[in-house]
Amino acid sequence: MVIDLRRCIGCGACVMACKVSNGTPPGVFWCRPVWREVGKYPYARIEMIPVSCMQCKDPACQKVCPTGATQIRPDGIVIIDYTKCVGCRYCMIACPYGSRFFLDKERTYFPNYKTPFEEVKYKRFQIGTVTKCDFCIERREVDKLPPACVDVCPTSARYFGDLDDPHSEVSVLIAKERARQLHPEYGTDPSVYYIMG
Amino acid sequence: MLTSHIDLGKFRAGEHLQREWGFGGQRKWRDGLLLLAFFFGGVGAGQFLISTLLIKWPLSALIGLLIVLIGKGAAHILYLGRPSRFWRIFFRPQTSWISRGLIFMTIFVIFGALYLAPDLGFDWLPWSSTSATGIVLWIIAAFASLCMMVYDGFLLMSGRSIPSWHNGIIPLLFAIYSLDSGIAITSTLSALSGKIETVAEATYIDTLVLLAVLASLGVYLLSMAGISPAARLSLRDLLRGGVAPFFIGGTIIAGVVVPLILIYLASSISYLELALNLIAVAGILALLGDLFVRHSILKVGYHLSPI
């Protein structure tokens, strides 16, 4: 995935689309905004950078997982097998991007009441396990759609494609615009690239 | 996640405290069980090693073994989000320090129990603690106990985005603290049960280890001064923030300085019973210091900003 921060207007639509599409419980943000200050007074401003799981090629979370619950699929997506996760949260400590969330108990958006939407969406989660973005596997495999955050972006700041294909749109963009990874020094080789503003 | 907005020169918004391990996480006291697991692991392993190596006291070694088996084992299992799946942790030692820790613990408990068994009434077993088989069993158990003393340090050190943990001194610090706790609990039990005959034998090694603890704490603090904004935040929390009462008061003063003074007093007075009581109090304080240092280090784990 490539995120063009020159186009991003910080509307947060990706965050909301992720929540709607995946039905994540309160407090769980597979796609979340991270704010940073840029520039100096009187030209200082706040900038939003959307951060989700970086789907690293050499993920720290997968290495530290003591049960093998965190796995890398052949297409490079890092997934969690909820039936194997013991909820030790070592992966949350290891992830440099803070992209993992622990489901400590069942939380609903309305007190003591699960909406029909939540009834359906919560079936995929298991209390006591860790969860994270999976680039909308269901949307892509069943409906052949890109991830919700990519689909919804009103400024088309997100691009989704195959990084292993040198002719794909994302590969061309990375080369042409010198897109960069966040914290490459950790050696995790993230698959999400940012074109800096 | 808690984003801090403190201006510390090159500080970048986004640094946040880890809230998963130690007291005060999403599950409040239950997240603190991991701290207790680390603590019991260090204390039990240290006590076994000191009891079998220095004073040859099987009962004390058995207590160390039980602290690991019951204290650490139960704390670890109850901490997990899905305790019933704990057995899965055995199968990833190639990359995960949690798996390695569980394996070290299992080896330690099994071989430690086999080594101690003949001295604890199971004298029908075909080996004794001084036979060749007994020595081999002790070597394996002692090696596993050493691994247990350092593994939680390596576990913390493996988190590269938490500079206050990703520090080479952490495994050494935890190992020295484990030895310190082992000596503290063993000397306390010895003093209370009258097993110590001369004060000098108890105070000499206590003093050495406490000085080593003080030195390693100093190196740890100095090493954090210039690493990164997140490390400086951790340092600030340790020395001036909310963790300072635990670190300065609990770890340094109550856990090291006061025990050193008590041990000095014990070695300089001629009244044996009072000296033994002072040694026992010093041991209890040193144990508390171990608990507080682990608590403090877990509490100041600031993640670097993801951006």
Side-chain angles (χ1 to χ4, degrees), chain B residues 96-127:
Chain B
S96 177
W97 276 104
I98 288 186
S99 288
R100 289 169 195 164
L102 185 63
I103 291 168
F104 295 149
M105 183 180 152
T106 309
I107 292 173
F108 169 68
V109 169
I110 292 172
F111 285 86
L114 288 175
Y115 167 73
L116 291 175
D119 291 337
L120 295 167
F122 297 90
D123 44 8
W124 46 267
L125 287 166
W127 67 86

Side-chain angles (χ1 to χ4, degrees), chain B residues 101-155:
Chain B
L102 185 63
I103 291 168
F104 295 149
M105 183 180 152
T106 309
I107 292 173
F108 169 68
V109 169
I110 292 172
F111 285 86
L114 288 175
Y115 167 73
L116 291 175
D119 291 337
L120 295 167
F122 297 90
D123 44 8
W124 46 267
L125 287 166
W127 67 86
S128 71
S129 58
T130 49
S131 67
T133 309
I135 291 169
V136 170
L137 290 173
W138 179 80
I139 290 171
I140 296 170
F143 179 73
S145 74
L146 281 172
C147 292
M148 280 183 57
M149 289 182 197
V150 293
Y151 102 88
D152 43 9
F154 282 109
L155 187 75

Side-chain angles (χ1 to χ4, degrees), chain A residues 63-64 82 85 90 126 183, chain B residues 27 31 85 95-96 158 305:
Chain A
K63 278 184 193 161
V64 303
Y82 296 127
C85 180
Y90 195 7
Q126 284 193 20
H183 288 300
Chain B
R27 300 186 305 169
D31 289 340
R85 298 175 186 166
T95 55
S96 177
S158 63
S305 166

Side-chain angles (χ1 to χ4, degrees), chain A residues 112-126:
Chain A
N112 308 318
Y113 167 70
K114 246 197 276 184
T115 62
F117 176 77
E118 287 170 333
E119 291 278 2
V120 174
K121 292 292 187 182
Y122 284 14
K123 279 181 187 159
R124 69 187 294 193
F125 301 117
Q126 284 193 20

Side-chain angles (χ1 to χ4, degrees), chain A:
Chain A
M1 183 180 288
V2 176
I3 301 176
D4 188 346
L5 294 178
R6 296 170 308 184
R7 288 180 167 218
C8 177
I9 54 172
C11 64
C14 49
V15 178
M16 294 315 298
C18 175
K19 289 218 69 100
V20 170
S21 178
N22 295 296
T24 51
V28 175
F29 291 89
W30 285 1
C31 174
R32 68 197 168 95
V34 175
W35 304 90
R36 71 170 179 181
E37 290 176 27
V38 183
K40 286 186 178 174
Y41 176 83
Y43 304 108
R45 67 180 195 279
I46 295 281
E47 210 173 65
M48 188 204 92
I49 297 188
V51 174
S52 54
C53 174
M54 298 287 154
Q55 313 293 349
C56 305
K57 287 182 182 162
D58 191 10
C61 55
Q62 187 252 350
K63 278 184 193 161
V64 303
C65 178
T67 64
T70 299
Q71 300 159 4
I72 308 176
R73 287 175 17 134
D75 61 2
I77 306 294
V78 180
I79 55 163
I80 299 173
D81 182 344
Y82 296 127
T83 61
K84 286 186 178 175
C85 180
V86 290
C88 67
R89 289 172 273 167
Y90 195 7
C91 53
M92 295 177 72
I93 297 292
C95 175
Y97 307 102
S99 298
R100 290 177 162 247
F101 295 85
F102 179 63
L103 302 172
D104 61 327
K105 60 182 177 186
E106 190 166 89
R107 294 174 193 272
T108 52
Y109 278 94
F110 296 93
N112 308 318
Y113 167 70
K114 246 197 276 184
T115 62
F117 176 77
E118 287 170 333
E119 291 278 2
V120 174
K121 292 292 187 182
Y122 284 14
K123 279 181 187 159
R124 69 187 294 193
F125 301 117
Q126 284 193 20
I127 303 302
T129 61
V130 171
T131 177
K132 71 165 197 75
C133 161
D134 56 11
F135 271 2
C136 293
I137 284 179
E138 281 178 26
R139 272 175 66 91
R140 290 190 299 106
E141 290 187 347
V142 179
D143 305 323
K144 308 293 178 200
L145 291 169
C149 55
V150 176
D151 223 9
V152 80
C153 182
T155 59
S156 302
R158 287 174 179 257
Y159 302 85
F160 186 72
D162 184 2
L163 286 176
D164 292 332
D165 174 6
H167 303 295
S168 68
E169 187 183 22
V170 284
S171 297
V172 170
L173 262 176
I174 289 167
K176 191 177 156 198
E177 304 291 346
R178 292 183 187 170
R180 70 174 183 87
Q181 300 159 317
L182 296 181
H183 288 300
E185 71 275 14
Y186 291 141
T188 58
D189 197 4
S191 297
V192 177
Y193 287 74
Y194 290 82
I195 300 173
M196 295 297 170

